[in-house]
Amino acid sequence: MISASFLTSKDIPSTLTKLNNTDVDYIHVDVMDGKYVENKSLPFKEMRHIYKFTDKRLDVHLMVSSPSKYIIDYASLNTEYITIHLDTIENTLTNLKLIKSYGIKAGIALNPNDKVESIIPYLPYIDLILVMGVIPGMGGQKFIDKTIDKLEELKVLKKEYKDFNFKISVDGGVNNLVAKKIYRLTDIIVSGNYITSSDDYQKQINSLRFKS
């Protein structure tokens, strides 16, 4: 499955409209507070109008220090996943339960330096593990090749913990060449600049899809 990010878009309404006319599976919404990461995204009072430009399900990635208020906001939209980071200033388990209380699937993001074993205590509560292929917060970065080792670890983890049904997603620096290397290890591929800097969104999306 493909989740398209509009993080680097200069014209968000136009980008969302174009993405809505493709067969992309999700719209990946990067939410940044200027604290957890340096950059800051549009405030929710503007982001809540996203439904005017797309009816795709949302895959929300909270790169924020205090996720709870953002969880409440984004739960009101057409959201399938809300993903938080482990190293926020709030309690991770409490926020995962908050996400699920809205009937939304909960995810945990792993930064490049995070260890796979750090998520094991949360496996009963998560539906998605989002593996960052770049340092979070900026679009257009190059994919870190060591990310593939982490994906291999997660594939093993998935076999060991068969009782828990979580999907593996990769975000950051993904183009068609990277997608070819990782598609057997992932369920969802997040791609932004590779799609949105193109004149043909559908062609780029097609080039990211491989059959296992």
Side-chain angles (χ1 to χ4, degrees):
M1 301 181 92
I2 308 297
S3 186
S5 168
F6 55 92
L7 180 62
T8 59
S9 172
K10 300 282 193 292
D11 184 349
I12 292 173
S14 173
T15 297
L16 290 172
T17 302
K18 288 179 186 175
L19 286 170
N20 200 52
N21 291 326
T22 71
D23 67 2
V24 79
D25 300 284
Y26 299 107
I27 300 296
H28 187 83
V29 182
D30 290 296
V31 182
M32 302 173 289
D33 61 359
K35 297 173 186 173
Y36 185 82
V37 292
E38 285 186 18
N39 287 340
K40 201 168 185 179
S41 54
L42 291 173
F44 182 73
K45 65 182 180 182
E46 293 183 45
M47 291 293 283
R48 67 190 172 92
H49 297 298
I50 198 169
Y51 73 91
K52 293 180 179 178
F53 310 104
T54 182
D55 55 13
K56 302 278 187 186
R57 297 282 280 167
L58 305 182
D59 164 29
V60 177
H61 177 194
L62 299 180
M63 290 177 272
V64 299
S65 294
S66 303
S68 54
K69 68 186 180 80
Y70 295 92
I71 291 168
I72 294 164
D73 284 342
Y74 282 90
S76 67
L77 301 182
N78 185 26
T79 302
E80 177 127 354
Y81 292 99
I82 295 180
T83 298
I84 61 175
H85 284 258
L86 284 166
D87 53 346
T88 69
I89 61 174
E90 295 180 337
N91 183 275
T92 300
L93 184 55
T94 299
N95 278 327
L96 292 172
K97 289 179 177 178
L98 178 61
I99 295 167
K100 295 183 84 66
S101 74
Y102 288 99
I104 291 169
K105 295 170 184 171
I108 283 182
L110 288 175
N111 288 333
N113 292 326
D114 290 337
K115 304 290 185 190
V116 165
E117 54 264 31
S118 63
I119 59 164
I120 290 175
Y122 303 105
L123 289 179
Y125 306 95
I126 57 177
D127 306 282
L128 182 76
I129 298 169
L130 178 65
V131 180
M132 297 303 298
V134 298
I135 303 296
M138 287 183 67
Q141 296 182 66
K142 189 176 184 297
F143 182 79
I144 299 168
D145 284 330
K146 281 189 176 179
T147 306
I148 295 172
D149 297 337
K150 193 170 285 182
L151 294 174
E152 297 275 11
E153 281 186 70
L154 284 169
K155 207 71 175 174
V156 172
L157 192 76
K158 207 168 187 180
K159 287 178 182 174
E160 289 177 353
Y161 291 88
K162 289 179 180 174
D163 292 343
F164 304 125
N165 186 24
F166 58 86
K167 294 198 180 300
I168 299 170
S169 181
V170 180
D171 179 15
V174 179
N175 55 29
N176 60 325
L177 299 177
V178 172
K180 192 171 185 179
K181 293 178 186 176
I182 66 174
Y183 78 94
R184 285 191 177 88
L185 303 169
T186 63
D187 302 294
I188 302 171
I189 285 175
V190 180
S191 185
N193 195 51
Y194 176 72
I195 297 172
T196 60
S197 65
S198 163
D199 292 330
D200 189 337
Y201 286 14
Q202 186 63 61
K203 182 180 176 183
Q204 299 300 84
I205 291 163
N206 291 346
S207 75
L208 294 169
R209 294 192 190 276
F210 295 88
K211 291 184 180 178
S212 299

